[in-house]
Amino acid sequence: MINVTKCFLPPLEEYTQQVNRAFKNEWLTNRGELVLELEEKLKNYLKTDNIIITNNGTVPLQIALKLLANGGEVITTPFSYVATTAAIVWENCTPVFVDIHPEYLTIDESKIEEAITDKTKAILVTHVFGNPCNVTEIERIAKKHNLNVIYDAAHAFGVEYSGRSIFEYGEVSTCSFHATKLFHTGEGGAMFTQDEELFHKLFYHHNFGHNGPLAFHGLGVNGKISELQAAMGLSVLPYMNTILNDRKRICDHYDAHLDFNRLEKIKIRENTQWNYSYYPVIFESEQQLLQVQAKLNEAEIAPRRYFYPSLNTIEYTQGKPMPISESIASRILCLPLFVGLETTALQRICSIINAAL
Ligand SMILES: *Cc1c(COP(=O)(O)O)cnc(C)c1O
């Protein structure tokens, strides 16, 4: 079976070497040597400061919303993974959906202002498939209306926009280091901010509010990652070039061999250094998608309908209709993309899809 993704595994001995360090230290969590080293290495790799590694990519969204949205309305995208919307509802905030751009698939920034009310506190939007939102325009709108911006950058590891790490945009950016993501620690994530004061608040919040062992800076939660997970991160990070090059090879193959007279693909925003994190294709109709999916499944190939459904249609969100997002969600399929996916398999996938169109 060829799945949509397969987690990248470093050589076992390299992982064991890292885990041995934790055993020698007899220290498994609470920001030990391995977590601190991984943070330093990530700062270097991503060319950015102020990172806090966390236990997944959802808790940092919750922490950022707790600090910056305070139970108010949050303008958000209906086209993302459910974690984006769920975090808003979980924090007792109200998601207010704004439809997406039909080609970039990120929020349609030209529709944000009409959704702002006197209860709006923040904008939480996703760099979908690593494709940056229109950060310049979103920043302008946020400044004008005094709103906080949080980016769900779960897909955007290593992406640069206008020569800067994508994680440097917004008050807070978050990332996921889940096993299926580009860079991973098994489970894990991170939050980033350029604001020193906010950095300290985020830091306290991810560690029960502790200010040293005996004092507290207010409320907090446990968002810490363990040394064992950092060991995975430290053994995956040296392979980032391999990972990116191989994923580029696969995307180039799809670009060259799929029949784009009958298919659409995502448009990556200008001035972006993209990360090849997903390969979505958009069909003319849901029926055509289902036909292609069935043919691929018959050949033991399992693409994934991602993202489906449009988040405004989930029962607990009670969102208004979002015609573009609902239409895209019904017609989009992510094709297999992982390190080691063989050219013969790629050829098979392309010919099955082209024949079924
Ligand atoms: C993966 C993902 C998350 C959640 O990350 P976890 O590490 O699984 O908690 C959030 N948002 C988006 C867009 C994601 O793809």
Side-chain angles (χ1 to χ4, degrees), residues 24 56 62 81 83 99 115 120 150 152 205 261 308 333:
K24 265 205 199 108
N56 60 46
Q62 293 173 350
Y81 183 56
D99 213 345
T120 309
I150 304 164
D152 182 341
H205 271 66
N261 293 319
Y308 180 87
L333 196 61

Side-chain angles (χ1 to χ4, degrees), residues 56-58 61 80-81 83-84 126 152 154-155 176-178 181 187-188 278 306-307:
N56 60 46
T58 303
L61 288 174
S80 181
Y81 183 56
T84 317
T126 303
D152 182 341
H155 295 175
S176 166
F177 300 161
H178 183 262
K181 301 289 196 315
E187 290 271 3
Y278 295 84
Y306 196 64
F307 304 109

Side-chain angles (χ1 to χ4, degrees), residues 238-258:
Y239 289 92
M240 279 317 296
N241 272 343
T242 312
I243 293 172
L244 288 168
N245 288 337
D246 211 41
R247 298 179 79 101
K248 178 173 188 309
R249 169 186 66 85
I250 294 162
C251 293
D252 287 348
H253 188 102
Y254 284 136
D255 282 347
H257 294 96
L258 287 172

Side-chain angles (χ1 to χ4, degrees), residues 24-62:
K24 265 205 199 108
N25 292 339
E26 298 183 348
W27 187 280
L28 295 188
T29 188
N30 286 354
R31 301 180 54 76
E33 181 181 282
L34 278 76
V35 168
L36 297 181
E37 184 175 313
L38 182 58
E39 281 182 349
E40 284 311 310
K41 290 198 158 148
L42 286 173
K43 278 189 214 171
N44 251 322
Y45 180 80
L46 298 165
K47 298 189 225 90
T48 187
D49 298 323
N50 293 354
I51 175 174
I52 301 165
I53 313 183
T54 55
N55 50 358
N56 60 46
T58 303
V59 159
L61 288 174
Q62 293 173 350

